[in-house]
Amino acid sequence: MATTVQPKATDYGAANIQVLEGLEAVRKRPGMYIGSTDQRGLHHLVREIVDNSVDEALARHCDRIVARIGRDDVVTVTDNGRGIPVDTHAKMKKSALEVIMTVLHAGGKFGGGGYKVSGGLHGVGASVVNALSEWCSVEVTRGGKVYRQTYKRGKPTSKVTVVGEAPLDAHGTTTRFLADTDIFVAGHDYNFDALAQWFRETAYLTRGLQLTLIDERTDREATFYFEGGIVSFVRHLNRNRQAVHDRPFYVQRETPACDVEVALQYNDSYGESTHTFANNIGTIDGGTHLSGFKTALTRTINDYARRNGLIKDGEALSGEDVREGLTAIVSVKLADPQFEGQTKGKLGNAEVAGAVQAVVNDALGAFLGENPQIARKIIEKCLNAARAREAARKARELVQRKGGLESFSLPGKLADCSERDPARAELYIVEGDSAGGTAKQGRDRRYQAILPLRGKILNVEKARLDKMLQSNEIRTLITALGTSVGDQFDVAKLRYHRIIIMTDADVDGAHIRTLLLTFFFRHLEQLILDGRVFIAQPPLYRVKAGKEERWTYTEEQRQAAVAELGEKAEVQRYKGLGEMNAEQLWSTTMDPARRTLMQVNVDDAVLADETFDMLMGSAVPPRKKFIQTHAREVADLDI
Ligand code: 0RA
């Protein structure tokens, strides 16, 4: 292991642990603490316990964490940190371990000069996991002894007891818990891949930490360790792209406001992949660290270009120009992160902007100065982007003069609704003119607009904005939405607050849906982040017996309907929207009272970014692999 474990200056013991609230109502309202009690909530438990160990790693006292899901569904998390303190907490007159496990929001994380950094948002504490577990046990090794305490649904069933001896220098914590199926009624449905993805990300963000996930039930195991930390992360994100320069830029510095760590590398694509984190938590809506980074990047590159005569006086590269083809990770660590916004995805601490800006200005300026060939290549790339943007602006103007992207000249194909309040209006994007016709007849024209799109829209992953705007289908779509794109994008002009993609339930339909989602993800991401984009769920089968009919959306429903309606039931498979008549389309797929919509969200921005890149980008081998490994999931689309 490469990491050296250094003792912290502060002596940290039971006295530093402050008590904020009692452990009440966690079992009554688990959603308040872990979001939900489905699979995500279950994963949250694992994350909560692992996060505590990661905090110990961030404090440089731990470099190995193993999480194991047993065949008996018991989760075991072991770390080689200092071990949770077991001495008596002065105020509570109980062992610090017991306080941490039984008092809500107790931990070394709240003031008191102990931990500098913590998981923040997710730091609801081990006590929440304890409260939501049928049983739990914690074993602490420190000072030559092994201590243990056990719990049932959050309540201690033993005192903190010495259960064994250990070498004097041994230290660490092992937590075991069995999630309570009274709370997690769907059972112990842990998903290896979802957990592994998060472990991988955490390992990138915590250089030198080795994280292992073992699933005994499926016999799967993965270990993540990245010597290069976020430099490895950037290389990983760029692995299927052509890098503009081999060596990524990297800086790590401590400032009074926060620790700043940034890595970046340009590639030959036209998109941007900047991912930001605060205390290892993805900040999908950016925030002060992102704005500090952007400001510094634009300024530093312009300064360098000007000083070296690569751009003329008075000329400037825009923020978008310097971010084209950029892959970057911005990671900050701070004592008291403020997560803002509806989904708590935005870092609010004002002092962070200046800190990140100063660090990046300084270090990136030096990097460019010391690597003139790299600097030249990057600036060449930015100048190309500027030229393309100028071409796009001209293309847009041309389109506009011909009655283009503005909504005062709505496209002829759009069957608009009469509602003028965007909050009450919805737009159905429908594949093909024939299904479009059916949808027009079936809709409620007061608030439902229909836009039929013909054929496959351009693969926007590969194309720049100017090229994209040459596509009729794309122009029509942007005009109908009303927001424009690129630097003209204005979310306030959105004409519909629900944008519903309705395609056939076959492979072509899936492809068109992916193309549309790629377009939204790459060029209108705000609409996805705002939760405006949905996918319609047309039925797959109609089961009919005499006058009785059932529309079913899954294979299980189909079987249930056949069972219900008996032997004579006829089953018809619906592949295309066009196979339904207007009334059927309305009642099964468009009527708000009866339809199911899937909201598109970007839960894990890094994964979404990678997936789109892989499916739509220009490298062929990884696409093949993805399609092969997921072939079974899509197989039934085209029966
Ligand atoms: C507070 C203080 C100390 C260690 C920890 C918390 C700690 C917590 C967890 C949770 C999982 N693994 C952990 N490892 C350590 C340091 C106490 C000291 O040595 O002074």
Side-chain angles (χ1 to χ4, degrees), residues 11-13 17 49 52-53 56 79 81-85 100 108 115 142 173:
D11 209 355
Y12 196 119
I17 294 163
I49 296 299
N52 290 329
S53 300
E56 188 68 358
D79 71 49
R82 289 168 293 178
I84 299 179
I100 285 175
Y115 264 153
R142 55 185 288 159
T173 304

Side-chain angles (χ1 to χ4, degrees), residues 335-615:
D336 185 22
Q338 303 296 316
F339 294 99
E340 299 178 341
Q342 213 165 25
T343 53
K344 303 275 174 230
K346 191 169 183 181
L347 185 68
N349 304 59
E351 68 282 7
V352 170
V356 174
Q357 194 184 324
V359 168
V360 174
N361 264 338
D362 187 55
L364 185 61
F367 176 84
L368 296 176
E370 286 158 19
N371 299 283
Q373 297 98 323
I374 296 181
R376 206 162 274 274
K377 280 186 197 162
I378 291 175
I379 285 162
E380 188 75 20
K381 163 101 189 149
C382 299
L383 283 168
N384 272 332
R387 283 178 209 123
R389 211 168 309 287
E390 180 60 15
R393 192 182 58 77
K394 286 199 177 126
R396 193 165 48 222
E397 273 176 12
L398 200 70
V399 177
Q400 260 158 26
R401 244 177 287 133
K402 290 196 213 139
L405 296 175
E406 301 303 314
S407 42
F408 54 72
S409 56
L410 286 170
K413 296 169 64 164
L414 175 73
D416 209 0
C417 53
S418 36
E419 178 61 61
R420 282 290 153 258
D421 177 3
R424 283 195 292 248
E426 41 192 51
L427 175 69
Y428 272 86
I429 303 171
V430 186
E431 166 190 0
D433 285 338
S434 110
T438 315
K440 276 181 204 175
Q441 286 165 31
R443 69 175 168 152
D444 187 330
R445 65 172 59 243
R446 283 173 303 176
Y447 61 92
Q448 292 180 321
I450 309 291
L451 180 69
L453 288 186
R454 190 140 15 116
K456 305 240 162 123
I457 63 167
L458 200 64
N459 186 346
V460 287
E461 188 68 14
K462 292 186 205 155
R464 257 186 181 137
L465 199 57
D466 56 327
K467 186 111 171 280
M468 239 176 53
L469 288 172
Q470 288 168 15
S471 150
N472 279 327
E473 306 301 301
I474 293 282
R475 279 206 312 270
T476 305
L477 176 56
I478 297 169
T479 311
L481 293 173
T483 56
S484 195
V485 266
D487 44 14
Q488 302 289 310
F489 175 80
D490 181 0
V491 75
K493 292 196 180 142
L494 182 64
R495 301 179 61 247
Y496 314 91
H497 280 191
R498 275 200 213 95
I499 302 154
I500 302 160
I501 299 171
M502 186 160 74
T503 57
D504 288 342
D506 61 8
V507 166
D508 272 356
H511 189 208
I512 290 169
R513 187 170 62 230
T514 308
L515 289 168
L516 278 165
L517 286 176
T518 306
F519 171 66
F520 280 108
F521 183 70
R522 290 285 182 229
H523 295 284
L524 297 168
E525 194 191 5
Q526 194 57 49
L527 301 185
I528 295 185
L529 294 178
D530 292 346
R532 302 276 185 242
V533 184
F534 299 84
I535 294 168
Q537 305 288 296
L540 289 176
Y541 304 98
R542 183 174 66 158
V543 183
K544 199 166 185 271
K547 275 192 180 144
E548 288 287 319
E549 67 173 13
R550 300 280 179 277
W551 294 92
T552 62
Y553 299 80
T554 64
E555 183 57 32
E556 292 83 63
Q557 286 177 356
R558 180 186 71 85
Q559 286 168 10
V562 171
E564 184 203 339
L565 297 182
E567 281 297 290
K568 278 176 281 159
E570 272 173 53
V571 178
Q572 192 184 351
R573 165 91 161 103
Y574 280 78
K575 278 193 195 172
L577 300 166
E579 294 174 16
M580 280 182 270
N581 65 34
E583 161 54 26
Q584 290 170 334
L585 190 59
W586 162 256
S587 63
T588 61
T589 316
M590 297 178 73
D591 177 5
R594 286 176 281 182
R595 72 186 175 192
T596 308
L597 295 181
M598 238 162 54
Q599 189 171 41
V600 177
N601 63 31
V602 188
D603 243 359
D604 183 327
V606 175
L607 187 63
D609 189 5
E610 286 181 26
T611 307
F612 278 117
D613 200 57
M614 192 152 53
L615 288 172

Side-chain angles (χ1 to χ4, degrees), residues 10-14 16-17 48-57 61-62 65 77-87 96-97 100-101 107-109 114-115 126 138 140 142 172-175:
T10 354
D11 209 355
Y12 196 119
N16 297 60
I17 294 163
E48 193 54 52
I49 296 299
V50 173
D51 262 343
N52 290 329
S53 300
V54 172
D55 283 351
E56 188 68 358
H61 292 291
C62 157
I65 303 171
V77 178
T78 301
D79 71 49
N80 65 349
R82 289 168 293 178
I84 299 179
V86 288
D87 48 340
L97 170 60
I100 285 175
M101 294 309 292
K109 300 175 177 180
Y115 264 153
V138 183
V140 172
R142 55 185 288 159
T173 304
T174 295
T175 306

